[in-house]
Amino acid sequence: MEHQELTTPSPDGEHRRIGVYICHCGGNISDFVDVAAVRDAVATDPNVVHAETTLFACSDATQHDMVERIQRDGLDGLVVASCSPKLHVPTFRAVSRRAGLNQFQYTQVNIREQCSWVHSDDRPGATAKATGLVRAGIGHASLSVPLEPVGVDTVPSALVVGGGVAGLRAAVGLADLGLSVTLVERTDHLGGAVGGLGAMFPSNQSGRELIAQLVDEVAARPTISVLLETELVAKSGTFGNYEVRLEGPAGTDPVTATVGVLVIATGFASYEPALGEYGYGIEGVLTLPEFTAMLDASPGPLHYRGRPVGSIAYVYCVGSRQPGGNEYCSKYCCTATAHVAVQVAARDDRVTQYHLYRDVRTYGVYELLYEEARKRGSVYLKYADDAPPDVERRGDQLVVTARDTLTGPAELEIPVDLVVLVTGMVAAPNHDLTSLLKLPLGSDGFYNEIHPKLRPVETVVDGVLIAGASQGPKTVSESVASALAAVAQSGAMLLNGRAELNPLVAVAGAACAWCGECAAVCPYDAISRVEVDGVAVAHIDPSACKGCGGCAPYCPNEAIDLLGVTTAQVEHMIDGMVGPVREEVLVS
Amino acid sequence: MGAGHGAGATSPRILVFSTANISDPGIDLAGSQHRHYASSISTITVPCSSSIQPRWIVYALEHGFDGVFLAIDGDECAYLPDCNARSSRIAAQAQERLRPLGIALERVRMAALCSVCSEAFVKHMDEFAAQLAALPVEVAA
Ligand SMILES: Cc1cc2nc3c(=O)[nH]c(=O)nc-3n(C[C@H](O)[C@H](O)[C@H](O)COP(=O)(O)OP(=O)(O)OC[C@H]3O[C@@H](n4cnc5c(N)ncnc54)[C@H](O)[C@@H]3O)c2cc1C
Ligand code: SF4
Ligand code: SF4
Ligand code: SF4
């Protein structure tokens, strides 16, 4: 077994040929950082053959120039100092590939989010820091090696977890791509939240019908197998070849399957108000899902406990947008409530409906529903964020007390027959699944994607995709859109029969004298003992290694390097940040 | 020690090790929100805080940084369920190596930082900088 060489000799045998681009980002960077001074400071680095500033590094014209420059000057490294790597690493990797430069010999330096924008009050400091960061990038690139993504064989099948609208639509889409699909649902029926809904916004189609349609589509595809009352209980193997173990109801045998990807569509739970929260627990105080179920159960004018309903107060943002709790907006609820109000008015236009809201977020085309609700007599009253309404029962009467910030300070007492708490979405309780898959959760408790704009359905776990409301509050159309994104991404990963893995993995170097420490601490079983010329050393399987680097600090010989952040690269970066001239050092 | 350039010259130089998927977005968010911190603070990105090698921390402190801050993933780590314990071990090992060098152990600090912890990040930086500024300057052993 040979060890990876971590330096590439440059054509002159001594120095690298690196090109450096420093971006103005319009004025986002150059208004606060003297980009020309940065360029001049790094242009003299012996590893740099070209340095320039550019108005927009990501523009087509600059990308084109970069390709030409890389080819004409025979560059063996590229440094782009612009925005966060989250945004344009794929862009400049593609530039490198187009130019014939290995994409792992390009280094991104963040001088916007981590420099110009946070030091806009300190131009000399920001310029000095940017210079250090670019020097660090050059140091990093000067030790870069060409790497090829690791190829793995993949099986053409997928596991979908969760049989709500997102999971069902994903299953149909995956099957239509030619993949075989196993769908597991933990309850005894398909459909999730939508399966329990009547007329829905925006088209008034009933949720039950929508699900029935999808279930028919699933049934029409023999390559989908559905397992009810079943959960995923174990997963092993690596991306492209995961072994999964599925446990059904007591008395049935567990099923194992080999799948290339997993689509997690486990949905949400509705916020459960605490007893007493806005009067919850008092007769006549319902949550939105309770109210829609009631509406749905009986056609015609509304009755509650046998009595006709003449007035309703909706209290918005219950369980959403609460500091220190669920701080996010649940997004679907303003529109769902406007839609419900329109339905109530259509059944009986004498019902008075009060909407006690904080902000009306019937975004986009749903604005029309808000218009319609108001046209049909709904009264909207805005309460202040720090003065939520009070709900109480006085004898036979429910009374809501609130201040409408738009009409003045007077306190309004509104007697009503029903109070509907417009409850938001919270993450579905799924602790076991989350820890089994090692899926990252956001601070809101929902699953986190790698990147909200550029990689919206992938997670840091290769081949594990997220869809629907498991990722955060979504409407049906948004849930389906993300399910289809997960389908497309699964296709891109599996249809080739081969997939590429991130090659930035750990490598054990010549200092290894096999002690087994690293193998013991790798949770992915990526490290094994091999013999090379009769000597035992550690071998790290690049297709099993996740590139976390967790093994490296355990090696007593410091023999492990993580490609992309090798010890030599980190030391070069530190040197670059500190600067070439350091008269005083801490310890001589 | 710790002289920087420009206006950063008076503030301690801090190196932050931060993770690509969790704390980097939090630090980037501080940028998007234009929350200021000292320009003598710079970041190196690692995939996971458990991959930081103790020798890097020592190297940074020996080569001109006044403090090293480990922004760790805590319970949010996507790779390693015991990331917290591993990161603490790394910080402790770095401190073990600093002791014989006569470098104050307080120059290594660690805290969990999430992907939206922009305000917390700036607060950590301000506090750490103040703490470092109050430390006596070590003399070479
Ligand atoms: C009262 C109310 C009214 C609404 N009205 C509308 C509307 O009019 N229009 C609209 O567009 N949207 C509406 N919505 C939003 C809509 O319900 C969601 O967008 C949609 O349900 C999200 O679908 P999903 O498949 O992601 O999640 P879910 O519907 O939550 O389905 C998830 C499924 O996964 C299963 N599951 C969970 N964990 C596991 C596990 N570990 N293993 C196996 N299975 C698991 C669950 O049992 C469930 O079947 C409304 C929501 C509510 C609460
Ligand atoms: S959609 Fe409306 S009711 Fe729901 S959390 Fe957002 S603002 Fe509040
Ligand atoms: S880097 Fe992480 S996944 Fe790879 S071998 Fe080391 S501990 Fe295992
Ligand atoms: S810990 Fe280091 S020396 Fe021990 S087996 Fe792993 S790489 Fe080799």
Side-chain angles (χ1 to χ4, degrees):
Chain A
M1 200 194 92
E2 84 257 296
H3 294 292
Q4 195 126 6
E5 189 60 55
L6 293 181
T7 53
T8 312
S10 71
D12 71 2
E14 207 184 329
H15 294 299
R16 294 288 292 256
R17 302 184 57 77
I18 296 173
V20 183
Y21 288 80
I22 301 149
C23 187
H24 287 245
C25 192
N28 278 299
I29 295 169
S30 54
D31 285 353
F32 314 109
V33 169
D34 183 345
V35 289
V38 176
R39 177 201 56 210
D40 295 346
V42 301
T44 51
D45 186 302
N47 289 310
V48 172
V49 297
H50 176 80
E52 68 173 83
T53 64
T54 166
L55 198 54
F56 291 105
C58 56
S59 71
D60 283 347
T62 310
Q63 289 186 39
H64 185 81
D65 287 352
M66 286 178 182
V67 171
E68 249 185 30
R69 170 72 59 187
I70 292 168
Q71 292 174 339
R72 194 176 59 222
D73 288 356
L75 299 185
D76 64 7
L78 174 68
V79 173
V80 180
S82 56
C83 46
S84 163
K86 297 281 171 295
L87 296 172
H88 280 305
V89 165
T91 310
F92 299 115
R93 281 193 176 165
V95 164
S96 306
R97 288 196 301 269
R98 288 205 296 280
L101 173 70
N102 186 278
Q103 58 182 349
F104 292 98
Q105 298 193 287
Y106 138 69
T107 297
Q108 179 67 28
V109 178
N110 181 354
I111 56 166
R112 191 179 73 178
E113 283 82 351
Q114 294 191 7
C115 189
S116 67
W117 280 350
V118 285
H119 314 307
S120 52
D121 53 348
D122 176 11
R123 189 175 171 87
T127 303
K129 171 170 164 181
T131 306
L133 292 175
V134 176
R135 274 195 306 251
I138 294 166
H140 183 266
S142 72
L143 293 177
S144 65
V145 289
L147 295 171
E148 291 309 327
V150 185
V152 289
D153 290 327
T154 60
V155 296
S157 59
L159 175 73
V160 177
V161 182
V165 70
L168 290 168
R169 187 63 189 90
V172 169
L174 291 163
D176 287 349
L177 283 181
L179 302 171
S180 64
V181 182
T182 306
L183 185 152
V184 292
E185 162 59 47
R186 75 171 159 199
T187 67
D188 62 0
H189 59 279
L190 294 171
V194 175
L197 293 173
M200 299 179 74
F201 72 80
S203 63
N204 276 330
Q205 187 183 17
S206 114
R208 264 187 312 280
E209 274 169 27
L210 186 76
I211 292 300
Q213 230 173 39
L214 269 174
V215 170
D216 284 348
E217 299 243 6
V218 166
R221 286 166 176 76
T223 50
I224 306 178
S225 64
V226 174
L227 301 171
L228 294 177
E229 292 179 76
T230 299
E231 291 195 44
L232 171 63
V233 293
K235 166 186 146 267
S236 59
T238 55
F239 165 51
N241 279 291
Y242 284 122
E243 277 283 310
V244 292
R245 191 180 154 89
L246 313 168
E247 238 168 55
T252 58
D253 285 336
V255 176
T256 55
T258 308
V259 297
V261 297
L262 287 85
V263 176
I264 307 305
T266 48
F268 68 98
S270 279
Y271 176 75
E272 249 327 290
L275 273 186
E277 187 176 352
Y278 297 104
Y280 192 58
I282 300 176
E283 190 180 319
V285 180
L286 307 176
T287 64
L288 181 63
E290 288 165 351
F291 182 61
T292 54
M294 179 183 125
L295 258 189
D296 193 35
S298 62
L302 221 54
H303 286 75
Y304 180 72
R305 306 239 158 128
R307 285 199 295 194
V309 173
S311 54
I312 305 170
Y314 302 95
V315 179
Y316 282 64
C317 295
V318 174
S320 305
R321 305 176 63 206
Q322 308 294 339
N326 307 321
E327 295 188 24
Y328 52 88
C329 163
S330 292
K331 242 170 49 165
Y332 86 97
C333 18
C334 275
T335 308
T337 309
H339 182 246
V340 159
V342 169
Q343 287 171 266
V344 168
R347 289 189 190 190
D348 179 353
D349 61 10
R350 290 160 312 172
V351 180
T352 322
Q353 302 187 77
Y354 303 96
H355 299 254
L356 296 135
Y357 71 99
R358 282 168 66 186
D359 296 290
V360 178
R361 295 187 169 171
T362 48
Y363 55 99
V365 72
Y366 305 139
E367 193 73 8
L368 297 175
L369 267 172
Y370 171 47
E371 277 297 317
E372 193 180 341
R374 285 193 303 174
K375 270 200 202 120
R376 287 179 176 260
S378 270
V379 179
Y380 279 75
L381 305 167
K382 182 176 168 71
Y383 70 86
D385 293 356
D386 55 359
D390 235 26
V391 178
E392 59 185 326
R393 180 167 276 284
R394 293 191 197 150
D396 229 13
Q397 186 66 60
L398 274 174
V399 179
V400 181
T401 314
R403 274 179 226 273
D404 177 16
T405 57
L406 301 181
T407 53
E411 206 165 66
L412 305 171
E413 290 200 343
I414 312 167
V416 286
D417 297 333
L418 273 188
V419 172
V420 176
L421 305 182
V422 178
T423 44
M425 291 185 179
V426 295
N430 250 320
H431 180 75
D432 292 348
L433 182 73
T434 308
S435 57
L436 171 70
L437 296 177
K438 304 192 170 68
L439 280 179
L441 294 177
S443 54
D444 55 11
F446 290 95
Y447 292 134
N448 248 1
E449 66 287 326
I450 295 185
H451 188 278
K453 291 181 186 132
L454 299 172
R455 300 176 75 180
V457 294
E458 291 163 84
T459 67
V460 291
V461 188
D462 292 309
V464 178
L465 306 160
I466 45 178
S470 65
Q471 192 182 15
K474 284 187 170 67
T475 64
V476 169
S477 66
E478 290 161 353
S479 300
V480 167
S482 76
L484 291 176
V487 167
Q489 201 57 39
S490 304
M493 289 170 168
L494 299 184
L495 290 182
N496 261 330
R498 276 186 77 68
E500 294 191 337
L501 297 182
N502 180 6
L504 299 177
V505 295
V507 289
C512 170
W514 180 259
C515 66
E517 277 283 322
C518 55
V521 298
C522 170
Y524 300 102
D525 300 329
I527 309 183
S528 54
R529 176 186 181 279
V530 295
E531 288 200 8
V532 180
D533 304 330
V535 181
V537 291
H539 171 64
I540 304 180
D541 175 1
S543 66
C545 174
K546 297 272 177 284
C548 66
C551 51
Y554 282 87
C555 176
N557 295 354
E558 301 187 322
I560 298 179
D561 251 324
L562 191 60
L563 298 178
V565 255
T566 64
T567 292
Q569 279 174 319
V570 169
E571 291 179 356
H572 269 57
M573 291 173 78
I574 291 169
D575 291 345
M577 287 173 178
V578 171
V581 193
R582 298 266 335 150
E583 273 117 48
E584 17 44 312
V585 283
L586 192 56
V587 176
S588 48
Chain B
M1 59 173 291
H5 309 258
T10 50
S11 313
R13 299 195 67 139
I14 298 173
L15 176 62
V16 179
F17 283 109
S18 158
T19 69
N21 292 314
I22 298 181
S23 54
D24 269 9
I27 298 174
D28 281 353
L29 186 61
S32 312
Q33 296 169 336
H34 299 262
R35 293 181 193 273
H36 286 174
Y37 51 88
S39 63
S40 51
I41 297 164
S42 293
T43 298
I44 289 180
T45 300
V46 291
C48 168
S49 41
S50 293
S51 71
I52 300 163
Q53 302 213 32
R55 67 196 282 196
W56 303 348
I57 299 169
V58 177
Y59 187 91
L61 292 174
E62 283 189 319
H63 288 81
F65 278 100
D66 302 313
V68 174
F69 184 87
L70 313 183
I72 68 164
D73 289 349
D75 302 332
E76 283 195 70
C77 177
Y79 296 106
L80 303 164
D82 57 343
C83 189
N84 243 332
R86 288 175 184 246
S87 305
S88 309
R89 178 180 173 276
I90 290 164
Q93 287 195 333
Q95 288 175 326
E96 274 321 301
R97 295 185 189 201
L98 294 179
R99 211 187 291 277
L101 299 173
I103 299 174
L105 308 191
E106 294 91 328
R107 296 192 183 276
V108 183
R109 211 188 232 224
M110 178 181 108
L113 207 71
C114 75
S115 61
V116 293
C117 288
S118 55
E119 196 177 344
F121 174 70
V122 174
K123 196 159 165 269
H124 279 304
M125 288 303 106
D126 290 348
E127 285 174 8
F128 192 25
Q131 182 201 327
L132 289 170
L135 280 179
V137 176
E138 291 96 343
V139 276

